[in-house]
């Protein structure tokens, strides 16, 4: 298999002007195409910093990060924005849906930014919503949907650009137990279909749903557990 993303000795230092805080202290990891990986750890362990670098929302202070064989660790903000829009599908804890727009319009948004023509946008957004089981909710606004349904809309939005990587940051943090099971089942379906998923979570039971579990402590990957599935 081919490594879709690879980090080598990634360090991230934040300079507060008074002290320097080393959030990542030499992280090296690889995620293969079609893998389902969870990254877990306590608050302050470096999870958020690692997620920001994986999602091309930030760059390392030291080390390299390759996504799809391209070193993105020294790209400009404009270049990183292109990578985010074209190669990464984000799923966030807060859903980040626009309340005034229908589910269909919310899912279309990444395609608007990419300059995709309107007819193609509509077709691809409807297809993505159907794929996550919301083909009959396209005209509903977020306030008319349950929390689990809103998260499914955000998953559809992540899928609509056909990204290389799905990066989910605490995607079940605002969901009840039933909705959590539904969303995790959806991730399993996507993984079974060949999608590469990296899931950031502080919840051990959610992390255990992945095929591999990486634990981060004090800015270091401390364990790589492969779960037989």
């Amino acid at each position: 298999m081919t490594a879709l993303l690879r980090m080598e000795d990634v360090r991230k230092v934040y300079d507060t002007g008074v002290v320097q805080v080393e959030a990542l202290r030499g992280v090296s990891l690889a995620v293969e195409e079609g893998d389902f990986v969870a990254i877990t750890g306590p608050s302050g362990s470096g999870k958020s910093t690692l997620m920001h670098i994986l999602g091309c929302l930030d760059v390392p202070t030291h080390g390299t990060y390759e996504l799809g064989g391209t070193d993105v660790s020294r790209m400009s903000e404009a270049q990183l924005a292109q990578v985010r829009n074209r190669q990464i599908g984000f799923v966030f804890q807060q859903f980040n849906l626009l309340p005034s727009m229908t589910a269909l319009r919310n899912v279309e948004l990444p395609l608007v930014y990419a300059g995709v023509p309107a007819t193609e946008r509509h077709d691809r957004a409807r297809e993505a919503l159907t794929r996550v089981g919301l083909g009959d909710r396209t005209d509903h606004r977020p306030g008319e949907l349950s929390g689990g349904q809103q998260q499914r809309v955000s998953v559809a939005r992540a899928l609509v650009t056909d990204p290389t990587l799905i990066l989910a940051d605490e995607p079940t943090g605002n969901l009840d137990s039933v909705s959590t099971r539904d969303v995790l089942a959806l991730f399993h379906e996507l993984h079974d279909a060949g999608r590469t998923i990296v899931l950031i979570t502080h919840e051990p039971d959610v992390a255990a749903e992945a095929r591999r579990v990486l634990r981060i402590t004090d800015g270091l990957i401390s364990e790589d557990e492969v779960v037989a599935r």
Side-chain angles (χ1 to χ4, degrees), residues 41-216:
S43 177
S45 61
K47 288 195 313 297
S48 294
T49 300
L50 182 57
M51 189 279 291
H52 288 155
I53 293 175
L54 287 170
C56 295
L57 297 164
D58 201 353
V59 294
T61 305
H62 173 83
T64 60
Y65 171 33
E66 293 184 359
L67 178 61
T70 300
D71 187 355
V72 299
S73 53
R74 297 295 177 268
M75 283 186 174
S76 68
E77 178 52 43
Q79 291 171 319
L80 290 173
Q82 286 190 336
V83 171
R84 290 194 298 268
N85 194 50
R86 295 175 182 175
Q87 297 189 50
I88 304 172
F90 292 94
V91 181
F92 295 106
Q93 178 178 352
Q94 300 295 338
F95 315 142
N96 289 353
L97 302 176
L98 296 179
S100 63
M101 289 188 173
T102 64
L104 186 71
R105 292 297 305 279
N106 269 284
V107 174
E108 282 184 45
L109 279 176
L111 302 178
V112 173
Y113 300 141
V116 175
T119 300
E120 183 181 347
R121 290 201 309 264
H122 297 331
D123 291 345
R124 288 171 62 175
R126 287 184 185 279
E127 182 181 351
L129 283 165
T130 298
R131 185 168 184 180
V132 301
L134 292 177
D136 59 344
R137 296 288 190 272
T138 58
D139 294 328
H140 288 63
R141 288 176 171 77
E144 301 169 322
L145 301 171
S146 68
Q149 288 173 328
Q150 289 183 61
Q151 193 59 293
R152 282 177 174 264
V153 173
S154 70
V155 172
R157 183 182 57 196
L159 289 173
V160 77
T161 58
D162 194 23
T164 304
L165 169 69
I166 295 175
L167 183 58
D169 182 25
E170 301 285 1
T172 61
N174 282 338
L175 302 180
D176 60 28
S177 59
V178 173
S179 296
T180 292
R181 288 195 297 272
D182 287 346
V183 169
L184 290 174
L186 178 56
F187 282 138
H188 281 297
E189 291 174 19
L190 295 173
H191 173 234
D192 290 343
R195 293 283 177 176
T196 306
I197 303 171
V198 175
L199 170 67
I200 313 291
T201 181
H202 70 279
E203 301 176 78
D205 55 336
V206 172
E209 293 289 325
R211 195 185 72 83
R212 296 171 57 212
V213 179
L214 304 177
R215 306 193 196 285
I216 185 168

